[in-house]
Amino acid sequence: MTMIDERTLVTREGIVADLRSLADLAEASGDRVSAVRALKVAWHIERRAPTNPMPPSIDCIIDLGGLAAALASRFNPEAAAAIKSAVADLRKCRVDLAEAEKEIATIH
């Protein structure tokens, strides 16, 4: 699984490949439930996700990040910690954004 930084372009093909890698790791460790979940999400992305989607909301990204951290924690604790840290930063940004929206609404 590759670590993502601010210069790395996230693509649906890369996400599907990472999910398949997680499924292989889960299968190798005997965790068939996690392997099936990862393959199911990969299949859903390949078959149902649009190729040129609209950017998801920050709330959706935070939810998916939490799920990814839980899945990654079973196989790669360092990656899980990095994902959890990124999700925490996103939550803080979401709160800051909500406060700024309230402030703008009261000004007008």
Side-chain angles (χ1 to χ4, degrees):
M1 188 167 18
T2 56
M3 292 302 296
I4 298 172
D5 62 16
E6 60 273 357
R7 297 175 307 250
T8 304
L9 180 63
V10 177
T11 63
R12 80 186 224 166
E13 291 80 14
I15 292 171
V16 168
D18 285 347
L19 285 167
R20 289 182 188 273
S21 296
L22 279 173
D24 291 341
L25 289 171
E27 184 73 27
S29 69
D31 188 358
R32 295 186 68 114
V33 173
S34 294
V36 169
R37 284 182 184 163
L39 289 173
K40 185 177 179 181
V41 172
W43 179 87
H44 182 77
I45 290 170
E46 284 182 322
R47 299 292 178 234
R48 296 188 178 161
T51 54
N52 295 318
M54 294 295 294
S57 70
I58 192 166
D59 296 322
C60 181
I61 293 170
I62 289 170
D63 291 342
L64 288 174
L67 293 172
L71 185 61
S73 67
R74 295 180 179 185
F75 309 105
N76 190 341
E78 294 86 20
I83 294 169
K84 287 177 184 176
S85 173
V87 169
D89 289 344
L90 286 173
R91 282 194 177 114
K92 183 184 178 307
C93 290
R94 178 65 180 120
V95 169
D96 293 345
L97 179 63
E99 289 173 359
E101 287 174 345
K102 284 182 185 177
E103 192 174 306
I104 290 172
T106 57
I107 292 174
H108 294 282

